[in-house]
Amino acid sequence: MSRSAHPAGPRHGDVLPEGHYTAPPTDLNALDPKVWSRTVTRTPDGKVTVGGMEVSRLAEEFGTPAYFLDEEDFRARCRAWRDAFGADADVFYAGKAFLSRAVVRWLHEEGLNLDVCSGGELTTALDAGMPAERIAFHGNNKTPEEIERAVAAGVGHIVLDSFQEIVRVAHIADRLGTRQRVQIRVTVGVEAHTHEFIATAHEDQKFGIALAGGEAAEAVRRALKLDGLELVGIHSHIGSQIFDTAGFEVAARRVVSLLAEIRDEHGVELPEIDLGGGLGIAYTSADDPREPHEIAEALNDIVTRECAAAGLAVPRISVEPGRAIVGPTAFTLYEVGTIKPLEGLRTYVSVDGGMSDNIRTALYDAEYSVALVSRSSDAEPMLVRVVGKHCESGDIVVRDAFLPADLAPGDLIAVPATGAYCRSMASNYNHALRPPVVAVREGAGRVIVRRETEEDLLRLDVG
Ligand code: LLP
């Protein structure tokens, strides 16, 4: 196909169909630093680079689709969180956002701790050398086997999520002749302003033990009686992709008031509170995320104030950002395969990946942006929907975006801010091969998770 415009697609200035899209950007070649990782730039000759490497060269070397992770940006974000919270607080990276051995080593080197929520994440963390005492183990239904491995490894915290688990962890610790440091996860009754599936502090959901009705106070009573447990704190995580600090502040206030109740009833001041993760990032230029230091100031202020009012010593605060660290550091690179202009509607651009490497658009109606990165273009903006190659019409990567009208098969396009919950939620739907994760730094790319092969698929198929 030639690089000519696709005449049927809507153009800048046309009356466009109803949808999520906003007005076309004035410069399609611009790369908004809000959504692209720190070292991404477009050179004067139109080429996009990351970590000093030209994206087209990365595609030649590592293929597409692939996730390219800006290591310098990842490390800088770790340091920003660590510095914002300072030496009297702990930052736990939430491994569910994206975890690999290289990531564990970077976290370790940058002085962060790590949250895991499954035996698989625990194994990865320990295997890559994260000291067990810097690991916290989460989850609403940890198996006895997982609990036993975590206790035996000596993880720093287990976050208790139910009444059954209080007893299970205590028994396992007794049996192993140890005392496990634990926190109790409470639901504070906050309605976080985010997608229903990623809000976690309202009462009608599966996580934690409700503050309401005295449930959390009862959990504390039981935990304090068990020899196998050393109850050190209260944990709250209100949800994910949240932009405003108000929900965190309400949660902090309610957690501190539970600490005061515990002190009054048991004469014990628990030394820690964990306020979870959930800070939102920019997926499109319309998003306006808070910086780590703003979150740190807001949380420190509210906890200090509430503790002073309750006559409590200020506990050690911890937070668990996942998306806010890794999300903005990676983009997914795709090659354009087919282009279908639909008269009066939009142009469908099909790429060589899809819902198997980014399920978030289909699952949460997530919005993303996209740019042509193998060259620049002065063509008019064209309203597109970027779709994958899977057998579903819901296989949408970017619902509404503008790309230059001279887009052609073979062009490379990239979707930024795919570092979190894309590779970690990737699937083999349609026997797709999950893409590699390539860390880019100082002019070189290094595969940290390799591309799956058809042999990998067949290896599991033992029938
Ligand atoms: N701490 C706890 C206890 C969590 O459950 C989570 C996320 C985090 C921390 C990290 O949250 P973050 O800072 O990454 O927002 N798959 C969904 C997100 C699910 C989040 C689950 N828990 C998505 O793609 O948006």
Side-chain angles (χ1 to χ4, degrees):
M1 182 178 293
S2 77
R3 294 201 167 216
S4 64
H6 299 280
R11 294 286 174 274
H12 186 28
D14 285 359
V15 178
L16 298 172
E18 293 285 313
H20 294 236
Y21 59 83
T22 50
T26 43
D27 179 6
L28 283 181
N29 297 314
L31 300 168
D32 184 347
K34 259 210 268 185
V35 295
W36 292 89
S37 72
R38 235 160 264 212
T39 72
V40 169
T41 52
R42 196 186 283 274
T43 58
D45 61 353
K47 298 199 170 111
V48 173
T49 67
V50 57
M53 260 301 259
E54 227 175 74
V55 168
S56 308
R57 281 194 42 215
L58 288 170
E60 277 161 28
E61 193 173 337
F62 301 103
T64 58
Y67 307 97
F68 291 98
L69 198 163
D70 185 339
E71 180 179 342
E72 198 178 307
D73 193 16
F74 185 98
R75 288 176 179 273
R77 286 174 194 278
C78 289
R79 288 194 290 271
W81 277 89
R82 199 197 54 202
D83 296 347
F85 278 87
D88 297 332
D90 295 301
V91 179
F92 286 77
Y93 168 77
K96 65 202 81 182
F98 172 65
L99 197 66
S100 77
R101 287 192 276 216
V103 161
V104 174
R105 286 193 295 269
W106 301 340
L107 294 167
H108 190 9
E109 286 163 15
E110 301 299 344
L112 264 63
N113 307 288
L114 177 61
D115 255 10
V116 299
C117 67
S118 70
E121 289 185 359
L122 178 63
T123 299
T124 305
L126 293 171
D127 186 74
M130 180 59 85
E133 65 273 15
R134 284 172 49 194
I135 298 175
F137 191 24
H138 282 267
N140 67 303
N141 188 18
K142 309 169 192 75
T143 66
E145 187 269 337
E146 286 174 321
I147 295 170
E148 179 152 352
R149 277 168 57 201
V151 175
V155 300
H157 293 88
I158 292 183
V159 181
L160 301 173
D161 198 277
S162 65
F163 283 98
Q164 287 89 352
E165 208 172 71
I166 294 173
V167 178
R168 269 178 214 156
V169 175
H171 282 172
I172 289 170
D174 278 344
R175 184 152 47 74
L176 297 179
T178 182
R179 233 176 147 220
Q180 177 61 50
R181 285 162 65 85
V182 294
Q183 296 181 342
I184 291 177
R185 176 164 174 175
V186 301
T187 42
V188 293
V190 172
E191 293 286 340
H193 297 137
T194 187
H195 192 281
E196 176 196 351
F197 293 175
I198 52 178
T200 53
H202 53 300
E203 266 120 32
D204 187 4
Q205 44 82 32
K206 68 174 185 167
F207 293 107
I209 300 176
L211 276 181
E215 296 265 295
E218 176 58 21
V220 169
R221 239 167 254 136
R222 295 192 196 176
L224 285 173
K225 283 198 191 116
L226 293 166
D227 290 337
L229 305 182
E230 181 188 355
L231 179 62
V232 290
I234 299 296
H235 178 283
S236 153
H237 170 74
I238 60 171
S240 231
Q241 187 57 4
I242 297 166
F243 287 106
D244 111 44
T245 55
F248 293 103
E249 291 175 23
V250 174
R253 197 171 302 130
R254 294 189 184 163
V255 168
V256 171
S257 81
L258 177 62
L259 292 188
E261 272 178 49
I262 296 168
R263 188 253 339 257
D264 295 344
E265 183 176 342
H266 305 281
V268 177
E269 284 197 27
L270 298 185
E272 298 175 0
I273 62 176
D274 187 315
L275 295 168
L279 196 68
I281 62 163
Y283 285 102
T284 74
S285 298
D287 294 326
D288 203 8
R290 305 273 70 79
E291 293 293 326
H293 72 88
E294 295 177 78
I295 284 280
E297 276 158 31
L299 293 183
N300 282 329
D301 280 0
I302 191 93
V303 172
T304 309
R305 206 167 340 122
E306 295 294 310
C307 285
L312 286 166
V314 177
R316 192 170 178 86
I317 298 178
S318 47
V319 286
E320 304 169 340
R323 184 191 325 259
I325 291 180
V326 71
T329 67
F331 59 82
T332 315
L333 188 65
Y334 300 104
E335 184 176 312
V336 173
T338 63
I339 299 177
K340 242 180 233 181
L342 298 191
E343 185 68 48
L345 286 172
R346 72 187 83 246
T347 295
Y348 278 79
V349 173
S350 295
V351 295
D352 48 357
M355 64 195 300
S356 55
D357 58 69
N358 186 350
I359 190 66
R360 299 193 67 261
T361 308
L363 193 55
Y364 314 117
D365 219 7
E367 292 189 23
Y368 282 92
S369 29
V370 61
L372 171 61
V373 291
S374 43
R375 60 185 173 92
S376 58
S377 165
D378 295 326
E380 284 284 285
M382 149 176 91
L383 178 66
V384 299
R385 177 160 290 174
V386 178
V387 294
K389 57 180 290 178
H390 295 283
C391 300
E392 300 217 12
S393 44
D395 173 24
I396 297 169
V397 181
V398 186
R399 187 173 302 279
D400 297 297
F402 290 87
L403 284 171
D406 64 351
L407 190 77
D411 277 334
L412 298 175
I413 60 176
V415 175
T418 58
Y421 304 109
C422 286
R423 181 59 179 78
S424 67
M425 293 172 80
S427 77
N428 291 120
Y429 183 41
N430 298 143
H431 281 202
L433 304 172
R434 285 178 294 175
V437 181
V438 180
V440 191
R441 187 186 185 188
E442 291 172 358
R446 180 170 66 95
V447 175
I448 59 170
V449 178
R450 74 160 167 79
R451 186 183 300 284
E452 264 178 338
T453 61
E454 291 187 349
E455 291 76 69
D456 291 327
L457 293 181
L458 290 174
R459 208 168 39 219
L460 299 180
D461 184 337
V462 295

